[in-house]
């Protein structure tokens, strides 16, 4: 598959063709033209249009379209031939349409489906919808929309399927600019989502408060979430809280006075929490503007830390890591080391002319 790219502004670019094994990244200057060739592209079938996207990686100006995804740029891949996907002109709001972004996947407990966020199809509108797809979808099937953003719930930032006890429930995090909100609802009818009051004690007078991460408790009785608020009256605080669904009660697990807590996860036995830790937020992600990344993200390199469910035994897991995710079960130990075969025995001694060999019996005592 061959693609011609004309950049209207210099920068770092990334291109991907549907069915290709990997994307292509490069640095470009103003008004340069490149011809990209993707090899070994999977053919989705005769007459199936396989499209190409080009992303201007660092585009932050409102006049830029950071991603170009047009229905006029595609190729019908033919095995053994080179076909063209046309010319793409990224970097201009007047000639590009926003790409569709998928983010924050969450597996259903039985492994049959995965929920995720997908950005709106509208040009330059970054609000996310909640979608779902089968575990092994056919090519070009992007799943079903479970919930479309609305005037009441619009900046959807994360979804999390419940554990087996709540296999059909989705925990939904919405970013409200200066205040984040949590909802729970059945995945087959998310119009029935109910708001979960996650206001923590001591936040009165807060200018802003955020929820950078959430995770279900393994038994489905509630969830944990990381929390940060800044107040003009008291000092800022970052903490981990537990929410009990039956009692509707919030309890503090752990408080961090010298840093921020980001994404987090819970061990399958419900005894240990792993979380990101950093000194400040990444200024590139502004929650008030929405976007595919509407969550506050820590400025990394981050460290990963462990703390017990009762708030004790804080210890560092890794000095450089992020996005912790606990495996649902124990990871099997590595298998036995490979058997190293001994080198072949040397040939038996032969007569000077090489015609005869001497074989001696071996005796084991």
């Amino acid at each position: 598959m061959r693609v011609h790219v004309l950049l209207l502004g210099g920068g770092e670019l990334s291109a991907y063709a549907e069915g290709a094994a990997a994307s292509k990244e490069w640095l470009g200057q103003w008004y340069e033209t490149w011809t990209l060739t993707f090899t070994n592209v999977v053919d989705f079938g005769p007459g199936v249009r396989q499209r190409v996207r080009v992303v201007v990686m660092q585009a932050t100006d409102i006049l830029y379209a950071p991603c170009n995804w047009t229905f006029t740029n595609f190729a019908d891949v033919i095995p053994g031939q080179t076909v063209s996907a046309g010319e793409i002109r990224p970097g201009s709001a007047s000639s590009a349409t926003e790409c569709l972004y998928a983010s924050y996947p969450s597996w259903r407990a039985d492994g049959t489906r995965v929920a995720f966020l997908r950005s709106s199809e509208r040009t330059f509108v970054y609000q996310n919808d909640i979608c779902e797809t089968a575990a092994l979808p056919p090519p070009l099937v992007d799943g079903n929309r479970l919930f479309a953003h609305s005037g009441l719930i619009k900046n959807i930032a994360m979804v999390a399927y419940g554990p087996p006890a709540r296999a059909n429930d989705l925990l939904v995090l919405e970013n409200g600019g200066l205040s984040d909100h949590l909802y729970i609802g059945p995945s087959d009818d998310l119009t029935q989502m109910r708001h979960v009051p996650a206001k923590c004690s001591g936040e009165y007078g807060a200018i802003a408060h955020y929820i950078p991460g959430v995770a279900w408790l393994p038994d489905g009785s509630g969830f944990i979430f990381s929390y940060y608020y800044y107040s003009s009256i008291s000092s800022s605080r970052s903490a981990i809280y537990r929410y009990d669904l039956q009692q509707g009660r919030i309890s503090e697990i752990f408080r961090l006075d010298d840093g921020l807590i980001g994404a987090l996860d819970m061990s399958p036995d419900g005894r240990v929490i792993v979380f990101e830790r950093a000194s400040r937020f990444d200024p590139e992600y502004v929650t008030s503007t929405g976007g595919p990344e509407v969550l506050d993200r820590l400025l990394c390199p981050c460290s990963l830390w462990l703390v017990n469910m009762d708030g004790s035994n804080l210890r560092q897991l890794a000095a450089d890591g992020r996005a912790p995710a606990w495996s649902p079960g124990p990871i099997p130990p590595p298998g036995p080391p490979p058997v190293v075969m001994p080198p072949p025995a040397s040939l038996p001694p032969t007569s000077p002319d090489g015609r005869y060999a001497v074989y001696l019996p071996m005796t084991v005592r």
Side-chain angles (χ1 to χ4, degrees):
M1 180 184 294
R2 183 170 295 157
V3 186
H4 295 276
V5 179
L6 174 61
L7 181 64
L8 300 183
E12 180 183 0
L13 293 97
S14 174
Y16 179 73
E18 288 183 326
S23 60
K24 294 180 180 291
E25 284 77 30
W26 74 102
L27 291 174
Q29 296 181 2
W30 183 269
Y31 274 106
E32 285 187 341
T33 302
W34 299 268
T35 298
L36 305 178
T37 301
F38 292 88
T39 59
N40 298 322
V41 178
V42 176
D43 181 14
F44 287 174
V48 178
R49 297 179 175 186
Q50 295 173 229
R51 294 186 170 85
V52 177
R53 74 163 183 262
V54 176
V55 182
V56 183
M57 303 294 287
Q58 81 292 356
T60 57
D61 193 292
I62 193 171
L63 297 179
Y64 269 89
C67 188
N68 182 288
W69 178 275
T70 63
F71 287 96
T72 57
N73 288 104
F74 65 87
D76 180 9
V77 175
I78 302 175
Q81 299 184 26
T82 299
V83 293
S84 175
E87 184 177 272
I88 297 178
R89 296 171 177 261
S92 172
S94 62
S95 62
T97 301
E98 268 300 291
C99 289
L100 299 180
Y101 290 88
S103 57
Y104 292 100
S106 177
W107 283 98
R108 185 180 166 93
D110 58 11
T112 60
R113 290 178 281 168
V114 59
F116 59 96
L117 301 182
R118 189 178 69 183
S119 61
S120 170
E121 291 93 341
R122 303 176 191 173
T123 304
F124 303 113
V125 175
Y126 298 100
Q127 294 162 340
N128 293 318
D129 298 333
I130 302 175
C131 297
E132 185 183 62
T133 186
L136 295 173
L140 302 181
V141 175
D142 56 2
N144 303 316
R145 182 184 283 111
L146 300 181
F147 184 83
H149 69 270
S150 62
L152 297 177
I153 304 176
K154 51 185 180 180
N155 284 346
I156 302 172
M158 181 186 294
V159 290
Y161 252 125
R166 287 183 170 266
N168 195 46
D169 285 346
L170 273 174
L171 182 62
V172 178
L173 174 62
E174 179 200 23
N175 168 251
L178 296 179
S179 177
D180 293 347
H181 308 283
L182 289 166
Y183 303 85
I184 290 181
S187 61
D188 51 4
D189 187 8
L190 285 178
T191 61
Q192 303 298 318
M193 280 192 296
R194 62 182 178 89
H195 179 250
V196 180
K199 287 196 175 271
C200 307
S201 61
E203 69 176 60
Y204 301 105
I207 296 176
H209 46 93
Y210 309 111
I211 301 176
V214 295
W216 283 91
L217 296 176
D219 61 1
S221 62
F223 54 87
I224 59 173
F225 61 98
S226 53
Y227 190 86
Y228 168 82
Y229 81 86
Y230 170 76
S231 173
S232 59
I233 300 175
S234 60
S235 60
S236 303
R237 179 170 68 175
S238 190
I240 298 175
Y241 289 89
R242 171 178 178 167
Y243 186 86
D244 188 297
L245 287 170
Q246 184 174 4
Q247 300 180 12
R249 185 180 65 183
I250 294 177
S251 56
E252 183 178 291
I253 297 175
F254 171 74
R255 183 187 305 184
L256 191 63
D257 296 323
D258 59 346
L260 299 174
I261 299 174
L264 76 174
D265 201 12
M266 170 72 70
S267 64
D269 60 8
R271 300 168 65 179
V272 181
I273 301 169
V274 58
F275 63 90
E276 293 177 333
R277 179 175 178 175
S279 60
R280 61 191 181 101
F281 289 118
D282 190 337
E284 291 294 325
Y285 295 92
V286 183
T287 57
S288 60
T289 60
E293 297 282 0
V294 296
L295 281 178
D296 287 279
R297 294 182 60 175
L298 304 187
L299 182 62
C300 289
C302 305
S303 54
L304 293 181
W305 291 71
L306 300 172
V307 66
N308 291 348
M309 190 61 183
D310 61 3
S312 65
N313 195 19
L314 176 67
R315 65 271 193 198
Q316 188 180 86
L317 174 66
D320 187 0
R322 70 178 315 166
W326 218 295
S327 63
I331 299 177
V339 178
V340 179
M341 300 299 294
S346 58
L347 296 176
T350 60
S351 60
D353 59 8
R355 298 176 57 190
Y356 302 100
V358 178
Y359 294 89
L360 298 177
M362 180 181 70
T363 302
V364 178
R365 295 186 178 179

